Amino acid sequence: MGSGAGEPAAGGRAGEKSENGAGAPRWRAPAPNLRIAFRSLGRSPGFALTALLILALGIGANTAIFSAANAFFFRPLPFQDPARLVMLYETNPEYGWTDTQAAPANLLDWREQVDAFQDVAGYSEFLEQATYVRDGEPEILRLAGVTGNLFDVLGVRPQVGRTFTWEESWDGSDDVTLLSHELWHSHFGGDPGVVGRRMEFGSTSLEIVGVLPRGFSFPKPGAQLWIPVGWAPADREAVWFRRAHFVRTVARLEPGVTLEEADAQLQVVVRRLQGEYPETNRVMGAGMMPLRTFLVKGVRTPLLVLSGAVGLLLLLACINVANLMLVRAAARSRETALRSALGAGRLHAVGAMLAESVVLAVLGGGAGLALGWVGVRAAGRLSPLGIEGATELALDARVVLFTLAAAGLSAVLFGVAPALRSVAGHPHEALKDGGRNATLGRGGSRATGFLVAAQVALALLLVTGAGLMVRSFQYLRNADPGFSTGGTLALQFTLPSARYPARDDVLAFYDAFLERVGALPGVEAAGTVGDLPLTGPSWSSQFQAQGWPPDRVGFEILHRRADRGYFEAMGTPLLRGRWFEPADPPDGPLVVLVNETFAREHFPGEDPIGQRIAYDRAATEASTWYEIVGIVGDQAQVSPGVPPRAEVFENARQDWGRSSWVVVRAGVDPSTLVPGVRSVLKEMDPLIPLAAVRPLREVWRASMAREEFLLSLLTAFGVAALLLAGVGVYGVTAQAARRRTQEMGIRMALGARGADVLGLMLRQGVGVVGAGLAVGYAGALLATRSMTSLLYGVEPNDPGTLGAVGALLAAVALAACWLPARRATRVDPVRSLRGE
């Protein structure tokens, strides 16, 4: 068929008649195109399944991550009119505080003096524990302390009964409690008549006044009961009530008041308090932010990094499918040209290709939604990226719409270029070859080369992020926490005041318990500590040493109570001085140990042993004084990746408490000690439940849960990107080898060696890969800056990581180039020339 027969048909306008005179529309309705697309894909199951798998992975990963972003950033908080809720916080440049908890006396002044606030409420960030005996069996329930107006401020209405009143915030009011919906059903069978019943907690009895809605867990997941804070009215004027900062504060703005207007009024009150209370508020500032912003600030950076990563992965998947479709368009070039020659217009060919893209996108979106659902279920169980007060992760309408949008965008990204390419050029060029060696042509080759370079660049970005997390996590795991994590068991319980009312009762119980646990087979050491390392920070204060001038103050030292057995069980060394000794009686001179950081920061060039310190900014002889008797090694306090802060250890026999962790070191698997420890506790007091039993290695690993979670996801994305880039490079190199079969045959017929042909083919692939690596490196140097706060021990532009990632990607790409290039060297010149 000559060009004269084909060109007018291909270049005619829509609606022209074909040679047989019949009206042949150049654009088919969508339904016929979709039917043709399904049949066409059915004839190429390998291509269809490969494309669907690639798209499903890209869309599924985006769906799972967007479901988390949706819960954190977009889904309404379970409160009434949440846009008017703001979190108030205090700042202090001397302590380095930026958004810390408030002093309760300051909260009360804000509530009374800032007219922009409709009301102000407070709550404790930490859940208390109480022993509840049910059917003769003790159990630990978790209680949240709140001011009586918190639920009114949040706009939360009870499912049964009532909430608290502001007056119930104060000591002397009735002892009341609110139940979680889950506790109501598990312990009271969902009985609406539960209101008015009392729960007995040893010497304390609480009246149930209401039940909160299903799913409500503010301020902490796991809260089962809510109780009023019970502040003493006399404390309102006490210095400690303005010095101690332990209340999170939430306010509701008056209707029509902006955040800026409310903050301006707040600052007026702050300056007034600085002048009225210089001892506690001299440099104490305050600020506010939307409640949602506060709740998500800890997960914002990780989620943005993950969202960026899955976005790149989807783009990489689309580029890969686009390359596959370009190759497919080349393979079908004779079919397309023949249709055009027979009267089908260019729009018909474009429509047919776009129909295939739509079918792939819809099916890939469906499969991606299913994979995303699986990912959401897994993330809900494994992800430490939690949010206080937010609903659980779920595939709601917003997530489904996002998935559909991602599928539609994917169809455009990978479908338009191949569709346009399929009608480029002249039909007679494809027809004259008879379909024996259909190729992409020069324009198509440039397009695939550009797409492959883009794949390499995107893959470098993703693999670099994964590589940085791998190195960071390695450093984190190798960081010395300051204690031994192997062979150590930690358990926690609380002695009820009803049966252990006095100090001597508490100390006698712990002494007997430690003695009996120490006698268990395999136990090497045992001791007690108030707050276990890596489970959260302890309380802090200022201090002055005896003899210091008035202007010399030690800012924010941490406090923890412990006994000598604790340090022996943890394997923490004594660097100087002595341990706590039996000669340090409960009523004797108060003694403390300090960590190495405390000695270095506050007594540089001095000997802290024998120094007397008081926990006051301006100490007097009336202050309570503690003598430093020893220096111990630093222990990780919050995470192995967070440098230790200055810390003081009070003697547990002098600064005693009813709730403690008992740490037991054994020469055997610590989990084998659990039955024996439980038995000892039950024999001593069957009504004391264990609040927690955890091997220290598990505690250590849990402190790195966020980093491990991010590492797992970014590594998975990086591996997927590496594979997709390898497939893309292989595909374009194989297509180039096929296109140049005749050329290779001629070269080899003229005496070229296989190595010459191999080098020629590799140079083309290396050029594309090199361009992609160069662009990828430039992007990585900019993009990885967003990961700074997530990394430990490694910089975002770490040369070792960048070099290793580039070498790995180059090796994968070169291997993908080498395979088809090697095949080209085995071409039989005679057969290739005869084929042409």
Side-chain angles (χ1 to χ4, degrees), residues 355-442:
E356 288 191 12
S357 301
V358 170
V359 169
L360 288 174
V362 171
L363 294 178
L369 189 63
L371 287 178
W373 182 87
V374 173
V376 166
R377 299 279 74 77
R381 289 190 295 270
L382 301 178
S383 172
L385 306 178
I387 180 172
E388 301 167 353
T391 50
E392 296 180 354
L393 302 186
L395 294 184
D396 59 13
R398 189 181 289 106
V399 177
V400 173
L401 289 175
F402 170 83
T403 303
L404 295 177
L409 179 62
S410 301
V412 173
L413 289 177
F414 69 74
V416 172
L420 295 177
R421 185 63 201 164
S422 67
V423 296
H426 297 284
H428 71 274
E429 295 293 336
L431 290 173
K432 71 179 182 180
D433 287 334
R436 295 187 301 269
N437 194 30
T439 67
L440 290 168
R442 292 181 181 274

Side-chain angles (χ1 to χ4, degrees), residues 453-726:
Q455 281 183 290
V456 172
L458 293 175
L460 182 68
L461 284 173
L462 286 171
V463 179
T464 298
L468 289 171
M469 285 303 300
V470 167
R471 292 205 66 186
S472 175
F473 195 67
Q474 287 176 338
Y475 281 123
L476 195 61
R477 294 196 63 169
N478 293 332
D480 181 12
F483 50 82
S484 174
T485 59
T488 308
L489 182 72
L491 51 119
Q492 185 186 34
F493 57 85
T494 300
L495 302 182
S497 59
R499 297 194 301 280
Y500 304 91
R503 176 195 66 188
D504 291 343
D505 300 322
V506 173
L507 295 182
F509 184 93
Y510 277 113
D511 287 343
F513 181 78
L514 292 174
E515 182 179 358
R516 296 182 63 174
V517 167
L520 293 175
V523 173
E524 299 173 352
T528 65
V529 66
D531 298 292
L532 192 68
L534 305 181
T535 60
S538 54
W539 68 282
S540 64
S541 76
Q542 301 171 330
F543 84 96
Q544 262 201 340
Q546 194 170 42
W548 278 8
D551 60 345
R552 184 177 177 184
V553 180
F555 294 111
E556 198 170 22
I557 57 172
L558 298 181
H559 296 265
R560 201 182 311 189
R561 58 178 167 82
D563 59 16
R564 176 173 178 172
Y566 161 75
F567 296 101
E568 294 174 346
M570 297 288 282
T572 300
L574 178 69
L575 304 180
R576 293 182 58 194
R578 66 172 178 86
W579 293 114
F580 297 136
E581 300 291 351
D584 301 319
D587 294 320
L590 301 177
V591 295
V592 294
L593 302 173
V594 299
N595 69 349
E596 188 176 7
T597 297
F598 180 99
R600 182 178 62 254
E601 290 183 353
H602 296 294
F603 292 92
E606 302 177 67
D607 185 4
I609 304 298
Q611 295 274 6
R612 299 177 71 221
I613 61 175
Y615 307 145
D616 295 314
R617 180 185 179 89
T620 67
E621 287 303 318
S623 298
T624 301
W625 293 92
Y626 299 80
E627 181 184 353
I628 300 174
V629 297
I631 303 173
V632 298
D634 288 333
Q635 295 179 345
Q637 295 145 346
V638 179
S639 164
V642 177
R645 294 158 61 187
E647 187 168 26
V648 173
F649 293 90
E650 284 84 17
N651 189 338
R653 298 191 63 79
Q654 298 175 336
D655 183 19
W656 59 283
R658 289 189 174 86
S659 180
S660 293
W661 286 87
V662 176
V663 181
V664 184
R665 190 182 76 225
V668 297
D669 182 353
S671 62
T672 62
L673 299 175
V674 176
V677 171
R678 288 186 183 274
S679 177
V680 169
L681 185 60
K682 190 168 186 178
E683 290 173 5
M684 293 183 63
D685 190 332
L687 296 183
I688 297 178
L690 282 174
V693 180
R694 303 177 66 185
L696 206 58
R697 182 169 291 277
E698 178 186 307
V699 175
W700 171 72
R701 182 170 180 178
S703 70
M704 300 178 288
R706 186 185 76 162
E707 289 77 10
E708 187 171 10
F709 180 76
L710 291 172
L711 170 67
S712 301
L713 287 183
L714 288 178
T715 300
F717 298 157
V719 170
L722 203 61
L723 293 176
L724 290 176

